Amino acid sequence: MTESMKAAAAVFVDELVELGVTDEINEGLNVLCNTPLFVVPKPGQEGQWRVIGDALRGGQNACVGQDPVFLPRIAHILDWM
């Protein structure tokens, strides 16, 4: 990872901390899940990076409960309009 990629990832993580989405773990506590990050170039924006978290491999599904969301059918939505 280049220095500019690392800087983009650091800004991304700092924003998540500022938003309260994530936090630093206190010493002595176990990490239950994490999200590996990777950085790809933004198309058409030379020198700009997009930071992506791979939540599929981060173990989040094992740490959250089932919360099924049932989406309405389009016909039901149209009836409400």
Side-chain angles (χ1 to χ4, degrees), residues 1-78:
M1 192 181 278
T2 67
E3 289 302 317
S4 63
M5 294 167 103
K6 288 179 188 177
V11 168
F12 178 74
V13 171
D14 289 344
E15 288 175 0
L16 292 178
V17 171
E18 187 175 307
L19 291 169
V21 174
T22 190
D23 200 358
E24 292 184 26
I25 191 165
N26 294 326
E27 190 173 328
L29 295 178
N30 293 328
V31 176
L32 298 177
C33 61
N34 67 18
T35 302
L37 298 179
F38 59 99
V39 182
V40 296
K42 287 186 177 180
Q45 298 180 28
E46 190 173 331
Q48 297 291 314
W49 302 102
R50 177 166 289 127
V51 181
I52 301 170
D54 187 0
L56 181 64
R57 290 171 179 66
Q60 287 83 351
N61 289 343
C63 295
V64 295
Q66 294 274 338
D67 187 16
V69 176
F70 300 102
L71 300 175
R73 296 181 185 263
I74 291 175
H76 296 153
I77 295 172
L78 294 176

